Amino acid sequence: MTTVDTNHYAAPTEIKEITVVNTYDLEEAASKIVPKGGFDYISGASGDEFTLRQNIEAWNKKGIVPRVLADVENPDLSTSIFGHDIKVPFIMAPIAAHGLAHETKEAGTAKGISSNEAPE
């Protein structure tokens, strides 16, 4: 298990836009920014990594089938979840230890998620 010395830990402070195509690219980019101890804690799976393996297996069973000749000029990414309209088809799950990734911690994540802007 990786431990992080929070008395001497320096979380990143820079705020900038990033382009994310997939979670593998995001993880690689984060590994270059987040200090090693924090990155290892965030990217690692606890215990015997059972849930990580189950998640990967479940994801690999899903297929994304493109709709040929769909409106690609102005796609509508909006959807709704639990009666709330959202502009993009993803949400932020509750997690902890945001301060390992950035000094703004959970407040920074909430601000970014609540900006309610669809990517261009």
Side-chain angles (χ1 to χ4, degrees), residues 95-100 102-113:
I95 57 174
H98 297 235
L100 296 174
H102 196 269
E103 70 174 359
T104 58
K105 303 176 182 174
E106 284 80 354
T109 301
K111 182 178 179 182
I113 294 299

Side-chain angles (χ1 to χ4, degrees), residues 1 3-4 21 23 27 32 41 53 63 67 71 87 93 95 100 103 113:
M1 180 175 177
T3 59
V4 177
V21 175
T23 56
E27 186 173 18
K32 297 174 185 169
Y41 179 82
R53 287 192 308 277
R67 286 186 272 161
D71 180 10
K87 296 195 182 275
I95 57 174
L100 296 174
E103 70 174 359
I113 294 299

Side-chain angles (χ1 to χ4, degrees), residues 16-30 33 90 119-120:
K16 62 182 181 178
E17 286 191 30
I18 59 171
T19 300
V20 177
V21 175
N22 60 56
T23 56
Y24 301 110
D25 290 347
L26 176 60
E27 186 173 18
E28 182 181 338
I33 298 168
F90 54 85
E120 301 202 13

Side-chain angles (χ1 to χ4, degrees), residues 25-101:
D25 290 347
L26 176 60
E27 186 173 18
E28 182 181 338
S31 72
K32 297 174 185 169
I33 298 168
V34 178
K36 183 173 177 14
F39 177 80
D40 289 348
Y41 179 82
I42 294 168
S43 69
S46 64
D48 63 359
E49 300 184 348
F50 175 78
T51 302
L52 174 63
R53 287 192 308 277
Q54 293 295 103
N55 288 344
I56 292 170
E57 183 178 321
W59 180 256
N60 287 336
K61 288 181 181 178
K62 297 292 181 189
I64 298 175
V65 180
R67 286 186 272 161
V68 179
L69 300 176
D71 180 10
V72 295
E73 292 296 320
N74 298 301
D76 180 10
L77 301 177
S78 65
T79 190
S80 65
I81 184 169
F82 303 122
H84 295 278
D85 293 333
I86 57 176
K87 296 195 182 275
V88 291
F90 54 85
I91 60 173
M92 180 67 197
I95 57 174
H98 297 235
L100 296 174

